[in-house]
Amino acid sequence: MFKRTLWINGLEKRLVVDPEETLANVLREQLHLTGTKVGCGQGQCGCCSVIMDGKVVRSCVTKMKKVADGAAVTTIEGVGQPGRLHALQLAWMVHGGAQCGFCTPGFIMAAKGLLDTTPSPSRDDVRDWFQKHRNACRCTGYKQLVDAVMDAAKVVRGEMRMEDLAFKLPEDGHVWGGTMPRPSAEAKVTGTWDFGRDLGLSMPKETLQLALVQAEVSHANIKSIDTSEAEKMPGVHAVLTHKDVKGKNRITGLITFPTNKGDGWDRPILCDTKIHQFGDAIAIVCADTEKNARAAAKKVKVDLEELPAYMSAPEAMAEDAIEIHPGTPNVYFEQKIAKGGDTKPIFDSADVVAEGDYYVGRQPHMPMEPDVGFAYTNENGKLVIQSKSIGLNLHLGMIAPGLGVEPENVIMVQNPTGGTFGYKFSPTLEALVGVAALATGRPVFLSYDYFQQMTYTGKRSPFFMNVRMAADKDGKLKAMETDWSVDHGPYSEFGDLLTLRGAQYIGAGYDIPNIRGMGRTVCTNHAWGSAFRGYGSPEAEFSSEVLMDELAEKLGMDPFDLRYKNIYREGSTTPTGQVPDVMSLEEMMDRIKPKYDEAKKRAKANSTNGVKRGVGLAVGVYGAGLDGPDTAQVDVELNPDGTVTAYTTWEDHGQGADMGLLGTVHEALRPMNLGPDKINLVLNDTEKCPDGGPAGGSRSQAVVGRAAAVACENLLQAARKNGGFMTYEEMQSAGKDLRYSGTWSAPAGNCDENGQGDPFAFYMYAVFLSEVAVDTATGKTDVEKMVLVADPGKINNRLVVDGQNYGGLAQGVGLALSEDFEDIKKHSTLTGAGFPYIKQIPDDMELLYVETPRKDGPTGASGVGELPLTVPHASIINAIADACGARVRELPARPEKVLAAMPK
């Protein structure tokens, strides 16, 4: 230990510190300055950025022995506070720069470091600066962050006033359709929005810190678990194994279809007989500190009999492969698609046939905030679990039997959450902290490091696809045949539903009268398959969108013209035989055509022998909702002060649930003339809120939003009087209820065994355009410009919708070119897994909207979250082929793959 006197945000602080401790931990744990966030812990994400002696530093890798005595450190708390914002913080708010908000303090600190030395930066200066300082964002797509810095610089230079920059409510009072910053924005830009680790620092002193004993192989039988040495380690309170789990020690995968050959109870909470994947939890060490818990975890001895590990669907489908779950075949679910007539004679006589094999891989979610959560027993004896869950009631039902607790005795709460992009549609640590809290009788806290985040959370499930299309000589599609295998990892949860997505989305967007195909869900020993933005469509639609370009080449047609001839129009049906909810694709294609023509001219004019440029298109479609009659409930309550409170579980993982609910309720209650400041939100606590359902499938704005509108209408009906509405007191005097529920179910059905049906009441539509430059010597590809024409229905909040679309496009760049989680150890860091930093994402991204009202949507809305990641990656792959002739069918298209595919 040694003494340090530091100047923290202008105040002198005298500290005793461990020289090996990081500056980030000293700031957070000793000085309680939790605005500084720790993401990767490896200096690769910049969330922990602070300014020390005038320089931006990453505090998570800055050891205290390297911090000089008398050093001056500025954190986000020293830049501006709520009500007293710095120009950067205000600019971040009005440009929608804080989505989940976890990376926001680090970005603002880095930006301040730039403006302190370069008050008139160019956009390239800003991008170079963020690249240099490794500031990473998974939500925004970066464009809004550069916009924010440029506007803040104007304020710093005195060219703009803060009041000119600030958001102003329109004179008509409308929030719907505008750009009001989300209610959480100010807390996020000032670092006062407490995420899971921040809340963990405020837990009671008796809280036990947890560490996991995890598998370091991918498939094995467990012969024995010896905890004796670990139990003697300093600070250890208990070491828990499967024997300490009071319930059935399984997380139910909620089998969707009766033809599934598994029973859904294949995922242990703590492994008892087998290891099914790398990282599986075997034991939980409960200790006084995380350091002691992790040290003790290394002392647990696990004797294993290693088994063959099947790390891909083809391996697990091999004739000699053993069953990963004995008694259940590795291929445990099959999904047919049969639309129209028999396809064989059509293909036999077709003018043109195109066929290809395609692969979309195990994309990692890579949020900035690693998984974190805690649990305790409340004053009523109920188990409370607080985590990053985006499906509170869903997860309650999935884990309660395994814990041995009746569902009514479990309360689920979502903490402020730093991005999930879908991985938290699956329970991760919820059952683990539940087990520990029940077994010890103490509050418990568990936080993954980034290696655990990468290796012990779900990933996008790879699809292996073969697709054939038949067309006449004029390019009219006549038939399609498909075959797809879904590598879903070892646990079945939602695997059958994901496989259905192949039937629903291969060929989506086009009127294909005759389709035959078969898909299957395959159990493997790689990372379990969890939801990821787009949920099946980035895999399924990639195959058909790349094949459309290949078919166009065979026909001698322009790819735009082939698509234009075959998109949905009156009389068209989807691959499931459903009539699309709106027919906007023709207008969308018309909107993008001039952009496409300009891009083609640019590519031709700017190509050289060394750098070839090309243009690619793709059409994306996704259903907004969970399959079938998706249901949500929202309550609204009139308060004594005349305000209204809305209650529901509309989970927020950065997409903007708070703004979504506020905008919807404000619009529905316009007759009462309430300002947005008169609407309160109580979200994501199952003890207080009705069940809005999980935040997945782009369902929330459409389904939860419609339930909110119903609740508001019920309140309005009850409160109406001649010429206006009753006050709280008048409602009380009249004996009327003050709280009203709204429940709504989507008018949709289920798909039959042939994949035919009307699974969604709402769809979303997109047309993507990408311009790329390919270095012909190396195969390196740069995406120079992207255009998205989107139809999300009527837009609730433009900042939120723009943010979703920019962020989805950025993730599409990563999926196309760099992101992978195939090699468990090599791909277990952000940089190793191919995370795209700001210079990998084009600054030139253009969004165009066709807002076709949906008759069942609240104020005409559909959804947006999944839409921008349906197939932007296909437009990039098509652009690469246009540029240099390299047709890449397996993602990611790394430089060596592009180089190998170039015509020789």
Side-chain angles (χ1 to χ4, degrees):
M1 299 294 172
F2 58 45
K3 294 185 293 182
R4 279 287 183 269
T5 298
L6 302 178
W7 289 89
I8 308 292
N9 298 325
L11 298 176
E12 186 180 30
K13 298 290 182 180
R14 297 179 182 179
L15 302 169
V16 177
V17 297
D18 180 342
E20 295 300 319
E21 189 55 273
T22 66
L23 174 58
N25 284 347
V26 169
L27 291 171
R28 290 175 52 79
E29 297 173 17
Q30 292 185 230
L31 294 171
H32 309 293
L33 295 171
T34 56
T36 301
K37 311 302 179 187
V38 176
C40 67
Q42 301 164 321
Q44 295 181 6
C45 75
C47 295
C48 64
S49 296
V50 299
I51 297 173
M52 184 168 71
D53 293 334
K55 293 184 178 181
V56 177
V57 300
R58 281 162 272 173
S59 62
C60 79
V61 291
T62 302
K63 295 286 185 72
M64 289 307 299
K65 63 187 178 184
K66 299 290 187 180
V67 177
D69 196 38
V73 178
T74 304
T75 70
I76 191 71
E77 291 89 348
V79 173
Q81 299 82 38
R84 293 192 298 134
L85 299 178
H86 186 280
L88 280 163
Q89 294 167 316
L90 180 60
W92 237 258
M93 290 175 61
V94 299
H95 284 286
Q99 290 187 26
C100 85
F102 193 83
C103 71
T104 299
F107 265 98
I108 291 175
M109 294 310 303
K112 186 175 187 305
L114 172 63
L115 295 187
D116 285 348
T117 57
T118 311
S120 299
S122 67
R123 294 187 72 87
D124 283 341
D125 290 336
V126 177
R127 286 165 56 80
D128 289 343
W129 186 265
F130 286 148
Q131 182 80 17
K132 171 185 174 182
H133 291 286
R134 277 295 198 243
N135 288 102
C137 179
R138 192 62 161 162
C139 290
T140 63
Y142 300 108
K143 183 179 185 299
Q144 315 91 299
L145 310 187
V146 181
D147 294 341
V149 176
M150 298 305 287
D151 270 355
K154 293 177 185 176
V155 176
V156 169
R157 296 194 303 267
E159 298 168 9
M160 180 189 289
R161 299 178 304 166
M162 290 282 277
E163 49 266 40
D164 296 328
L165 179 59
F167 169 78
K168 299 171 189 65
L169 197 65
E171 288 185 11
D172 64 6
H174 269 289
V175 170
W176 185 276
T179 58
M180 179 179 174
R182 59 187 77 190
S184 56
E186 186 174 60
K188 289 171 179 175
V189 302
T190 55
T192 56
W193 188 250
D194 283 339
F195 294 90
R197 284 190 184 181
D198 307 327
L199 295 171
L201 293 174
S202 300
M203 292 287 283
K205 287 184 179 180
E206 64 267 26
T207 300
L208 295 170
Q209 305 296 314
L210 307 183
L212 302 180
V213 179
Q214 294 175 270
E216 296 180 4
V217 299
S218 295
H219 197 196
N221 287 323
I222 297 175
K223 297 168 70 175
S224 66
I225 305 169
D226 182 358
T227 63
S228 57
E229 189 176 348
E231 288 164 352
K232 299 172 186 175
M233 291 288 287
V236 171
H237 176 82
V239 182
L240 309 175
T241 68
H242 63 91
K243 296 176 183 177
D244 299 289
V245 182
K246 296 174 181 174
K248 62 191 300 179
N249 189 35
R250 292 294 184 274
I251 295 169
T252 175
L254 298 175
I255 292 302
T256 310
F257 302 109
T259 52
N260 194 314
K261 296 174 183 175
D263 64 4
W265 295 100
D266 50 20
R267 182 179 166 198
I269 298 174
L270 289 172
C271 293
D272 39 26
T273 61
K274 281 193 76 175
I275 300 300
H276 301 107
Q277 67 163 38
F278 186 98
D280 266 348
I282 302 167
I284 308 170
V285 176
C286 313
D288 58 346
T289 67
E290 181 181 356
K291 184 177 180 181
N292 283 340
R294 286 185 178 268
K298 295 177 182 177
K299 300 295 183 179
V300 174
K301 298 175 183 175
V302 184
D303 189 11
L304 299 174
E305 175 197 5
E306 198 161 353
L307 298 170
Y310 306 116
M311 303 301 279
S312 70
E315 291 177 22
M317 293 164 66
E319 287 187 11
D320 61 348
I322 65 173
E323 290 178 342
I324 293 170
H325 295 282
T328 301
N330 290 345
V331 178
Y332 58 88
F333 177 72
E334 293 182 330
Q335 174 66 54
K336 290 191 294 183
I337 180 166
K339 176 188 177 184
D342 184 9
T343 53
K344 186 178 186 305
I346 300 172
F347 273 91
D348 288 345
S349 61
D351 294 335
V352 180
V353 173
E355 179 177 2
D357 293 312
Y358 305 93
Y359 173 78
V360 177
R362 212 177 310 275
Q363 186 185 21
H365 299 72
M366 294 189 284
M368 295 302 101
E369 181 195 33
D371 213 37
V372 60
F374 48 89
Y376 55 94
T377 302
N378 74 3
E379 69 277 14
N380 298 317
K382 295 189 176 186
L383 176 65
V384 182
I385 298 172
Q386 298 192 206
S387 71
K388 293 179 66 176
S389 169
I390 60 169
L392 295 169
N393 288 281
L394 173 70
H395 290 174
L396 193 159
M398 292 176 73
I399 69 174
L403 294 174
V405 182
E406 293 301 317
E408 59 267 24
N409 290 321
V410 181
I411 296 167
M412 303 290 291
V413 179
Q414 188 196 22
N415 291 328
T417 290
T420 85
F421 313 102
Y423 87 88
K424 286 300 299 184
F425 204 92
S426 292
T428 52
L429 50 62
E430 284 78 8
L432 296 171
V433 295
V435 163
L438 291 170
T440 63
R442 300 262 293 270
V444 298
F445 176 85
L446 175 61
S447 180
Y448 290 3
D449 61 26
Y450 216 80
F451 181 79
Q452 290 173 303
Q453 172 64 38
M454 292 295 284
T455 57
Y456 192 45
T457 60
K459 301 291 175 285
R460 186 180 296 286
S461 295
F463 276 40
F464 298 79
M465 297 161 285
N466 175 270
V467 183
R468 306 173 72 206
M469 286 181 177
D472 65 20
K473 63 180 184 301
D474 296 321
K476 184 63 179 173
L477 295 175
K478 296 298 183 182
M480 181 173 72
E481 293 179 347
T482 58
D483 184 273
W484 68 101
S485 299
V486 179
D487 177 346
H488 199 56
Y491 302 128
S492 63
E493 59 196 47
F494 318 120
D496 47 12
L497 190 62
L498 179 63
T499 302
L500 175 61
R501 294 292 183 261
Q504 292 168 336
Y505 293 130
I506 299 177
Y510 305 109
D511 186 27
I512 308 175
N514 307 289
I515 305 175
R516 291 292 185 274
M518 175 70 80
R520 60 203 60 81
T521 321
V522 186
C523 183
T524 73
N525 294 115
H526 216 310
W528 93 72
S530 67
F532 196 149
R533 187 184 208 163
Y535 194 60
S537 68
E539 299 98 316
E541 294 177 23
F542 175 78
S543 62
S544 48
E545 282 305 309
V546 173
L547 186 58
M548 283 292 281
D549 264 41
E550 298 185 59
L551 179 61
E553 185 176 352
K554 275 198 163 188
L555 285 160
M557 288 182 71
D558 187 285
F560 180 94
D561 295 336
L562 179 63
R563 287 177 170 83
Y564 197 78
K565 181 180 284 287
N566 289 285
I567 51 173
Y568 295 155
R569 292 182 176 88
E570 293 300 325
S572 298
T573 56
T574 70
T576 72
Q578 185 177 9
V579 176
D581 57 338
V582 294
M583 297 291 180
S584 55
L585 275 172
E586 185 171 347
E587 181 183 351
M588 296 168 69
M589 293 289 285
D590 288 340
R591 289 283 299 276
I592 212 165
K593 181 62 161 68
K595 306 286 182 183
Y596 177 72
D597 291 341
E598 292 165 10
K600 295 287 282 185
K601 290 177 184 175
R602 243 188 328 268
K604 185 176 182 180
N606 295 321
S607 286
T608 66
N609 288 336
V611 177
K612 299 288 187 181
R613 286 179 165 82
V615 182
L617 288 169
V619 171
V621 179
Y622 199 81
L626 306 180
D627 296 62
D630 187 7
T631 300
Q633 182 181 342
V634 177
D635 289 357
V636 293
E637 183 175 25
L638 183 62
N639 302 314
D641 60 0
T643 62
V644 170
T645 301
Y647 305 82
T648 193
T649 54
W650 184 337
E651 295 91 351
D652 194 345
H653 43 138
Q655 85 282 15
D658 55 348
M659 193 63 238
L661 186 58
L662 177 63
T664 305
V665 170
H666 182 265
E667 186 68 13
L669 293 179
R670 285 281 289 168
M672 295 182 75
N673 199 30
L674 291 175
D677 58 326
K678 301 297 183 185
I679 297 170
N680 309 308
L681 307 178
V682 176
L683 291 168
N684 304 325
D685 182 332
T686 63
E687 185 177 32
K688 300 175 181 178
C689 302
D691 185 2
S698 298
R699 65 180 291 278
S700 297
Q701 180 61 68
V703 182
V704 189
R706 182 63 188 273
V710 171
C712 292
E713 182 56 35
N714 290 339
L715 172 60
L716 291 173
Q717 290 282 12
R720 276 196 173 92
K721 67 177 183 179
N722 291 335
F725 297 91
M726 297 183 198
T727 64
Y728 175 88
E729 291 77 12
E730 289 171 331
M731 292 277 283
Q732 270 196 324
S733 298
K736 297 208 171 197
D737 291 335
L738 298 164
R739 182 163 171 158
Y740 291 85
S741 290
T743 301
W744 189 75
S745 295
N750 293 306
C751 290
D752 63 20
E753 63 179 10
N754 290 319
Q756 299 301 285
D758 56 344
F760 305 108
F762 310 91
Y763 283 86
M764 306 169 286
Y765 304 90
V767 182
F768 300 91
L769 170 66
S770 292
E771 299 180 44
V772 305
V774 182
D775 186 318
T776 56
T778 65
K780 182 179 182 296
T781 300
D782 291 313
V783 182
E784 297 187 322
K785 179 179 174 66
M786 301 182 84
V787 181
L788 166 61
V789 180
D791 182 359
K794 299 301 289 184
I795 290 175
N796 177 346
N797 182 276
R798 187 61 62 106
L799 281 185
V800 168
V801 172
D802 282 358
Q804 287 295 286
N805 284 322
Y806 287 133
L809 291 176
Q811 290 179 342
V813 174
L815 178 56
L817 300 180
S818 61
E819 294 179 29
D820 202 6
F821 186 74
E822 196 59 38
D823 184 316
I824 290 172
K825 294 187 177 178
K826 179 181 177 182
H827 296 153
S828 62
T829 65
L830 286 172
T831 55
F835 183 91
Y837 290 90
I838 192 167
K839 294 301 288 291
Q840 281 73 57
I841 306 301
D843 192 37
D844 192 350
M845 292 195 283
E846 186 176 357
L847 305 179
L848 304 171
Y849 293 107
V850 174
E851 296 182 61
T852 312
R854 305 307 201 267
K855 70 180 180 66
D856 290 314
T859 319
S862 180
V864 70
E866 255 74 24
L867 183 65
L869 196 50
T870 47
V871 271
H873 47 300
S875 71
I876 293 168
I877 296 305
N878 288 337
I880 291 172
D882 181 58
C884 64
R887 175 59 66 190
V888 178
R889 296 189 179 97
E890 297 182 2
L891 299 183
R894 293 197 183 96
E896 62 272 18
K897 204 177 290 185
V898 174
L899 191 63
M902 285 184 195
K904 300 296 184 286

